[in-house]
Amino acid sequence: LLDSDDTRVMLDALRALGVGVERVGDSTDYEINGVGGAFPVKRAELFLGNAGTAFRSLTAACALSGGEYVLKGVARMHERPIGDLVDALRLLGARIDYLGVSGYPPLHIHPARLDSTGLAGDTTRVRGNVSSQFLTGLMMALPLRQRSTTIEVVGELISKPYIGITLAMLRRFGVDIARDGWQRFGVPATARYQSPGEIWVEGDASSASYFLAAGAIGGGPVRVEGVGRDSVQGD
């Protein structure tokens, strides 16, 4: 895994939520022992720095884990919008309060209403012109509902390659999401995660592009490993 602030706060958050996280020797490899469903720790306060991907994916997962959670970060994180994701989760019965400005972190998450009282629907919506991380977070968390759930995209989805990454990775973990174009996604009630045993995290294609450009300008040769023709990255 990349040794970065974003990765470190995500790993710390997973540990706080009861997930087994162990570094393998002095390498950058990690062994993750999952919890087979919702997070077992039902009360936690998570500090996520300025890690937008961690904040958004954990917001969705915590919202469907049946606990009381506070998610916060640095001041800059509290200026990054999350209202579209919160609205989408609320349509599915999530209970989330803003602790500061409406539409922005920090958040207080309460156990969702997932019963048959009519407070929780099975269809939610997210705008297509906002961060793809909102849709990614929903897709990753929805198997926790154990109910057939539909996500409708309002308007054109502008980040198709990144959603393609999400769909590909979910399939690696045994979750196959039905797709009607790029406007509707269906998560079946039978969706369950299964460990693939080993996952290689690709190098970042955006960062690699600078070295490829340097090789082109300087006449090369420059060899960049970790991002080949089999990459799922749109970049």
Side-chain angles (χ1 to χ4, degrees):
L1 302 183
L2 182 67
D3 184 15
S4 69
D5 289 343
D6 286 8
T7 305
R8 282 192 289 271
V9 297
M10 182 61 157
L11 293 173
D12 288 344
L14 291 175
R15 291 187 184 100
L17 292 166
V19 178
V21 177
E22 295 291 338
R23 187 170 179 173
V24 181
D26 294 329
S27 72
T28 55
D29 299 345
Y30 281 80
E31 184 175 283
I32 309 295
N33 285 296
V35 296
F39 295 126
V41 173
K42 300 303 181 185
R43 187 176 294 272
E45 182 171 309
L46 307 177
F47 177 77
L48 298 170
N50 195 31
T53 305
F55 204 106
R56 289 154 179 170
S57 58
L58 285 175
T59 293
C62 287
L64 302 177
S65 283
E68 297 277 348
Y69 306 104
V70 172
L71 276 63
K72 59 185 181 180
V74 299
R76 179 70 185 98
M77 187 72 238
H78 296 171
E79 297 174 355
R80 302 175 68 178
I82 200 167
D84 284 273
L85 176 58
V86 170
D87 291 345
L89 289 165
R90 283 174 172 171
L91 289 174
L92 301 174
R95 296 190 300 141
I96 304 173
D97 294 329
Y98 296 110
L99 297 179
V101 178
S102 180
Y104 296 83
L107 304 176
H108 185 180
I109 298 173
H110 310 276
R113 297 186 181 96
L114 300 178
D115 53 28
S116 58
T117 61
L119 294 171
D122 290 325
T123 299
T124 190
R125 293 178 296 277
V126 65
R127 289 188 296 154
N129 62 348
V130 295
S131 172
S132 62
Q133 293 174 4
F134 298 156
L135 182 52
T136 287
L138 283 170
M139 289 179 173
M140 290 172 61
L142 284 179
L144 293 173
R145 293 191 83 221
Q146 299 183 7
R147 289 170 59 162
S148 294
T149 310
T150 299
I151 308 171
E152 296 178 347
V153 176
V154 180
E156 182 181 358
L157 183 63
I158 61 173
S159 300
K160 297 181 184 70
Y162 292 101
I163 299 306
I165 294 173
T166 301
L167 294 171
M169 292 304 296
L170 287 172
R171 283 193 294 270
R172 293 283 301 276
F173 282 85
V175 174
D176 197 2
I177 294 181
R179 178 167 71 87
D180 180 7
W182 295 99
Q183 297 302 126
R184 185 186 295 264
F185 301 89
V187 182
T190 56
R192 299 289 186 277
Y193 282 111
Q194 295 180 345
S195 171
E198 184 175 83
I199 279 285
W200 287 85
V201 180
E202 289 187 21
D204 179 50
S206 299
S207 298
S209 66
Y210 297 107
F211 297 96
L212 294 171
I217 294 169
V222 172
R223 179 180 176 87
V224 177
E225 298 183 346
V227 281
R229 288 193 177 94
D230 294 331
S231 173
V232 296
Q233 297 178 66
D235 294 5

